[in-house]
Amino acid sequence: MNHSVSLPRPAARAQLRGDETHPNLRGEVLFCPYGRGTLIIARAVGLPIPGFLGFHIHTNGSCAAGGDVSFASAGGHYDPHNVPHPWHSGDLPPLLSSGQGAALMQVYTDRFRPEEVVGRSVVIHERPDDFRTQPSGDSGSRLACGVIEAV
Ligand SMILES: [Cu+2]
């Protein structure tokens, strides 16, 4: 019997980049098939604000910069079942940014499989998610975005 606890290989990945005012913000999010859902491993550096920062899967696979709202093209939270926040499939725990602007998180969700979020996006926000306010937890503007691609 195999008792190993080695992690599965990623099936999807997003490379995050900051908006025009946060050019040093970079990150990577891996999506590994795990059980009935997905093991998510997220890393970021260059975060401008220490503390909790909202972190979600958004519907559209577009991280176009420019316009009045950074990364507006990513759309709203990934919500295939049309339910309120924080029951969106794309709702996730916030990242915890250190004073040095780095964050690392590993979290399991059974709200989607990796292949279901390929062609969508990951967004880091400027504020924590309050898990109450509709439709996006009052998490403020979008600091970074990355399109999710199959690997
Ligand atoms: Cu979001």
Side-chain angles (χ1 to χ4, degrees), residues 136-148:
S136 54
D138 192 31
S139 48
S141 69
R142 302 172 180 189
L143 299 179
C145 184
V147 175
I148 303 169

Side-chain angles (χ1 to χ4, degrees), residues 55-56 58 77 123 125 139:
F55 182 70
H56 316 115
H58 284 237
H77 293 181
V123 171
H125 292 265
S139 48

Side-chain angles (χ1 to χ4, degrees), residues 9-128:
R9 294 164 61 96
R13 183 176 69 154
Q15 298 277 8
L16 306 188
R17 62 179 178 80
D19 66 4
E20 295 148 329
T21 55
H22 304 98
N24 298 322
L25 175 44
R26 291 282 183 274
E28 182 183 56
V29 182
L30 302 175
F31 298 86
C32 308
Y34 199 79
R36 294 182 178 181
T38 302
L39 179 68
I40 298 168
I41 302 167
R43 296 180 293 159
V45 295
L47 294 163
I49 307 161
F52 290 102
L53 303 176
F55 182 70
H56 316 115
I57 309 300
H58 284 237
T59 303
N60 304 328
S62 172
C63 294
D68 293 341
V69 179
S70 285
F71 306 127
S73 62
H77 293 181
Y78 172 49
D79 178 27
H81 306 299
N82 193 27
V83 293
H85 188 69
W87 297 103
H88 301 141
S89 296
D91 290 342
L92 292 166
L95 293 179
L96 177 56
S97 171
S98 69
Q100 289 75 42
L104 171 63
M105 181 167 72
Q106 180 170 298
V107 61
Y108 173 74
T109 179
D110 65 359
R111 294 182 182 185
F112 59 82
R113 299 271 303 165
E115 61 269 21
E116 294 176 85
V117 294
V118 168
R120 306 191 185 282
S121 56
V122 180
V123 171
I124 301 175
H125 292 265
E126 64 170 351
R127 290 204 295 272

